[in-house]
Amino acid sequence: MNKNELHGGARYLGGKVEKAVGDAVGSRAWQVDGVVDQIAGGAENLYGRARGIAEDAVDAAPGFVDVAKERLRNAGEAVGDAASRAGNRARDVADRAAGRAHDVADRVSGRAHDVADRAGDAASRGAARANATASNSPALWALGAAVGGYLLGWLIHGERA
């Protein structure tokens, strides 16, 4: 729980109390101010939650990247081993078939290694993009919450005046 969640929750509860007091004494100004505080507090609390989730995602992302790299490395090695085995078999066939299949097996093995390398690079780029997107999200949430809170406050206070 971060300070935005705490402050937003406190402001929301304060707005509830303020509206209840306004209802009890019949003060429209207190009622409106209480509703404004509830909305602003709820928006700040929601921003705090989103920020916490984004921070958790950013903290967890390097671990996911490492796991993904390790799995891709293992898959690449498995593909390389399989390609190597296929190449050895193909070499045996090539030796028996006048050497032509030997060239084909080498090209297949090289392409399999190229494909494994490309897959590893693509996964690394995707993980970096996901990490960048997760770390940039709090700013977008803050901007959206600020604009929404400002517009709601302006609409509510504009009708009162």
Side-chain angles (χ1 to χ4, degrees), residues 48-60 133-138 141:
R49 286 183 187 175
R51 182 177 162 193
I53 290 169
E55 288 170 353
D56 291 344
V58 168
D59 290 342
T133 300
S135 62
N136 289 336
S137 292
W141 281 99

Side-chain angles (χ1 to χ4, degrees), residues 59-108:
D59 290 342
F64 290 132
V65 170
D66 293 339
V67 169
K69 283 182 182 178
E70 182 64 29
R71 287 184 181 174
L72 282 172
R73 191 174 302 117
N74 292 341
E77 290 172 2
V79 167
D81 291 344
S84 179
R85 286 192 303 272
N88 290 336
R89 289 180 191 152
R91 283 185 194 106
D92 292 341
V93 171
D95 289 342
R96 284 179 271 157
R100 181 176 171 122
H102 179 74
D103 295 335
V104 172
D106 285 341
R107 286 193 301 260
V108 168

Side-chain angles (χ1 to χ4, degrees), residues 145-155:
V147 169
Y150 177 79
L151 290 175
L152 286 172
W154 179 76
L155 287 172

Side-chain angles (χ1 to χ4, degrees), residues 28-29 32 35-36 39 151-161:
R28 180 156 172 78
V32 171
V35 171
V36 168
I39 292 171
L151 290 175
L152 286 172
W154 179 76
L155 287 172
I156 292 172
H157 285 289
E159 291 177 6
R160 185 177 60 157

